């Protein structure tokens, strides 16, 4: 009986030690997703640290393609570049970049309505908005989207390039606005600007996405915008502050490039 009791005690202690050892070496609850280590992950995201990947998970940066950049060739070129670098979502596959094309994605029956932007974005977890060639009324749609936020402020960056919308309205809802210095006033809708021969729209958009990712949140009101804008457009195109021709007032967040 004595030996039997000793044997049972030994078995019990062995079980306790085994369970403790198993607990000590338990696998961590977080395991990397397959796509995070796969060569199929978009090239720029593959190089991001774990903190950045965690911040971006489940979020969208929306890129709105408007006048001058809504033709098939431009859409294909821009989509291909953003897809390779960051991933462009489809109906079946969620990715970081969501592309909206005006007027195609804004149609209500036979009429394109810029105001439908609010509906298009209301279910997205946004971490940035980039528009290029924005049509008239885009600033109003962004303002309505902004009003839906509790404190009335976007908690992510909003960049506007080559807008054809109202200047003051666009400045009000954007962190910055960037235009080509030789942009003609009264530009006909859907007419592409004659840009510098070395201007690369895809590189500019990729740089804009990287700037949004690097910030991981909204731009502070005191942020020095010029260095950010210059980095996005590239050193070959010097920027300067836009000056209103009627008032002579220099805009804080509106820039032009050569």
């Amino acid at each position: 009986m004595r030996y039997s009791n000793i044997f049972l005690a030994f078995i019990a202690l062995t079980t306790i030690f085994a369970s403790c050892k198993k607990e000590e070496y338990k696998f961590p609850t977080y395991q990397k997703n397959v796509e995070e280590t796969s060569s199929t992950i978009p090239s720029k995201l593959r190089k991001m640290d774990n903190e950045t990947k965690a911040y971006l998970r489940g979020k969208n940066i929306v890129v709105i393609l408007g006048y001058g950049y809504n033709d098939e060739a431009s859409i294909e070129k821009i989509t291909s570049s953003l897809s390779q670098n960051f991933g462009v979502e489809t109906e079946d596959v969620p990715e970081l970049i969501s592309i909206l094309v005006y007027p195609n994605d804004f149609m209500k029956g036979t009429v394109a309505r810029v105001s439908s932007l609010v509906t298009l974005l209301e279910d997205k977890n946004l971490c940035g908005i980039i528009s290029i060639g924005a049509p008239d009324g885009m600033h109003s749609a962004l303002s309505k989207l902004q009003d839906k936020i509790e404190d009335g402020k976007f908690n992510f960056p909003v960049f506007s390039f080559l807008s054809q919308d109202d200047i003051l309205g666009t400045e009000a809802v954007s962190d910055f606005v960037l235009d080509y210095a030789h942009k003609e006033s009264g530009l006909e809708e859907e007419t592409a600007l004659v840009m510098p021969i070395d201007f690369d729209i895809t590189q500019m958009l990729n740089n804009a996405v990287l700037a949004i990712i690097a910030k991981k949140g909204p731009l502070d009101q005191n942020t020095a915008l010029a260095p950010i804008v210059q980095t996005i457009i590239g050193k070959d195109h010097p920027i300067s502050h836009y000056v209103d021709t009627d008032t002579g007032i220099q805009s804080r967040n509106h820039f032009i490039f050569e």
Side-chain angles (χ1 to χ4, degrees):
M1 177 66 71
R2 180 183 176 186
Y3 290 110
S4 176
N5 290 338
I6 293 174
F7 178 75
L8 290 174
F10 175 77
I11 293 297
L13 288 171
T14 303
T15 302
I16 291 171
F17 286 132
S19 64
C20 290
K21 186 175 182 181
K22 182 178 181 182
E23 182 66 26
E24 183 180 353
Y25 291 98
K26 184 171 67 175
F27 286 106
T29 55
Y30 171 74
Q31 296 183 26
K32 287 186 176 181
N33 293 329
V34 174
E35 69 265 22
E36 290 182 346
T37 55
S38 170
S39 60
T40 60
I41 190 171
S43 60
K44 298 291 185 185
L45 296 185
R46 198 181 309 150
K47 300 173 184 178
M48 302 289 175
D49 57 38
N50 288 334
E51 180 186 353
T52 302
K53 289 177 182 177
Y55 169 75
L56 295 175
R57 190 170 291 124
K59 293 185 175 70
N60 278 132
I61 296 175
V62 172
V63 177
I64 304 169
L65 304 181
Y67 295 133
Y69 299 91
N70 56 1
D71 59 283
E72 288 187 12
S74 295
I75 294 170
E76 182 178 354
K77 179 181 179 181
I78 291 169
T79 300
S80 176
S81 178
L82 292 175
S83 180
Q84 178 182 348
N85 288 307
F86 305 103
V88 172
E89 73 172 11
T90 63
E91 289 185 4
D92 302 319
V93 181
E95 294 285 1
L96 176 62
I97 305 298
S98 176
I99 295 179
L100 296 176
V101 179
Y102 183 87
N104 299 10
D105 295 321
F106 293 78
M107 299 301 293
K108 292 293 183 182
T110 59
V111 179
R113 299 193 182 280
V114 182
S115 59
S116 61
L117 178 72
V118 177
T119 304
L120 290 168
L121 299 186
E122 64 183 357
D123 292 329
K124 291 185 179 295
N125 185 7
L126 298 174
C127 61
I129 295 177
I130 301 169
S131 68
I132 180 166
D136 185 43
M138 182 61 73
H139 74 280
S140 294
L142 287 171
S143 181
K144 289 177 181 177
L145 186 68
Q146 198 172 40
D147 289 341
K148 286 181 169 290
I149 302 173
E150 186 174 345
D151 62 358
K153 297 178 181 179
F154 287 127
N155 60 350
F156 49 80
V158 177
F159 301 160
S160 177
F161 300 102
L162 307 171
S163 175
Q164 295 191 33
D165 194 9
D166 175 73
I167 291 178
L168 293 178
T170 304
E171 290 175 355
V173 297
S174 306
D175 287 290
F176 72 76
V177 180
L178 181 62
D179 274 319
Y180 181 41
H182 303 293
K183 179 177 177 180
E184 298 178 9
S185 59
L187 187 71
E188 291 294 329
E189 289 187 347
E190 300 188 64
T191 301
L193 292 168
V194 179
M195 302 298 287
I197 193 167
D198 61 341
F199 177 73
D200 186 348
I201 182 61
T202 59
Q203 185 60 55
M204 185 184 75
L205 291 176
N206 280 306
N207 289 344
V209 171
L210 286 173
I212 288 173
I213 292 174
K215 184 56 186 172
K216 295 189 186 72
L219 269 66
D220 186 88
Q221 287 294 314
N222 297 320
T223 300
L225 295 172
I228 298 174
V229 178
Q230 189 65 76
T231 298
I232 290 173
I233 192 65
K235 62 182 180 180
D236 294 332
H237 299 285
I239 66 167
S240 58
H241 285 273
Y242 170 81
V243 177
D244 186 271
T245 54
D246 294 327
T247 64
I249 297 175
Q250 176 178 286
S251 173
R252 184 192 74 86
N253 69 334
H254 190 168
F255 301 86
I256 55 176
F257 70 94
E258 295 286 342

